[in-house]
Structures are given as C-alpha cells and as structure tokens.
Amino acid sequence: QVQLVESGGGLVQAGDSLRLSCAASGRTFSSYAMGWFRQAPGKERDVVAAIRWSGGSTYYADSVKGRFTISRDGAKNTVYLQMNSLKPEDTAVYYCAAGLLRSTWNSWVAQPKQYWGQGTQVTVSS
C-alpha cells in the first residue's frame, strides 16, 4: 500500500520559515516526480513545487521562486519543502503528491497524480 505522509505544518508569522516533509512508502518512485500542492479556502489546488525522483530536476511556481526549495532524500524516501520568507498568502493546506513524469513539467502539473497525501495546514499570520 502506497502512502504519502506529510508533516511539518503549523502557525508562523510572516517572514518566518517552515520545512514540510513527505515520507513516501509502499513502492519505488524512480519514474515519478514528487510535488507539493496547496489549496487555500475557496480556491483551487495549485502546484507549488516538484522534483524528479531520479535526477533531481525541479519545478517551481512563480509565486514561490526564490523563497521555497524542494529536495529529496533517497535513503529516507522523503521529499522536503523548505519555505522561507513566508507570507500570509502562503496560508493553505499543503499536499504531497506523486505522479509519473513522462514529458514536460507543464504536462506533469496538469495530469492526474497517482498518489496523494492527507495534507498539512500552514498558516502564516501578518
């Protein structure tokens, strides 16, 4: 059984940092990309960042470039999202997802993902 388990969310002030973790288990992800998505109340779920499990190429939404960093630890089967200089507009439920990476990042973002985590709340106060 494949599981993606997020952790690390919380309540912080604007300008603070948080690191989210996504622990993956149940299969190998060598052909997958792992990504973070977020959904704020009343809004659609949007991609934040993604990383190719093999090779490590990355993708970032424009809104987080320069502030967030995605990384992975193959030995721990874990993907991280380091979030710096947090803003109130970063407040959302953050989800970890895994999907086969077949072509471009834009295609990966748009296609349905095979696996999702349960989400972790990030709240940034002003």
Side-chain angles (χ1 to χ4, degrees):
Q1 181 182 358
V2 175
Q3 282 192 311
L4 302 179
V5 180
E6 302 101 331
S7 61
L11 172 62
V12 297
Q13 293 187 329
D16 285 352
S17 298
L18 272 178
R19 189 177 79 157
L20 304 183
S21 299
C22 172
S25 62
R27 68 159 300 136
T28 57
F29 292 93
S30 57
S31 299
Y32 284 71
M34 311 288 287
W36 289 95
F37 292 73
R38 65 186 181 187
Q39 187 167 21
K43 295 189 176 182
E44 293 185 353
R45 187 162 52 189
D46 292 325
V47 64
V48 176
I51 186 166
R52 186 182 189 114
W53 192 259
S54 298
S57 64
T58 57
Y59 169 93
Y60 293 95
D62 287 343
S63 59
V64 305
K65 283 180 181 177
R67 299 190 299 125
F68 292 10
T69 302
I70 190 169
S71 62
R72 85 235 187 273
D73 184 331
K76 297 181 178 180
N77 244 26
T78 299
V79 175
Y80 303 99
L81 185 68
Q82 178 66 43
M83 305 186 294
N84 298 330
S85 302
L86 282 162
K87 305 175 181 179
E89 51 264 43
D90 294 318
T91 295
V93 178
Y94 283 69
Y95 297 91
C96 178
L100 288 166
L101 180 58
R102 297 184 177 94
S103 57
T104 66
W105 278 120
N106 286 339
S107 295
W108 184 86
V109 168
Q111 73 187 36
K113 307 301 176 290
Q114 280 72 33
Y115 308 106
W116 288 91
Q118 81 288 352
T120 185
Q121 177 70 47
V122 172
T123 303
V124 184
S125 64
S126 58

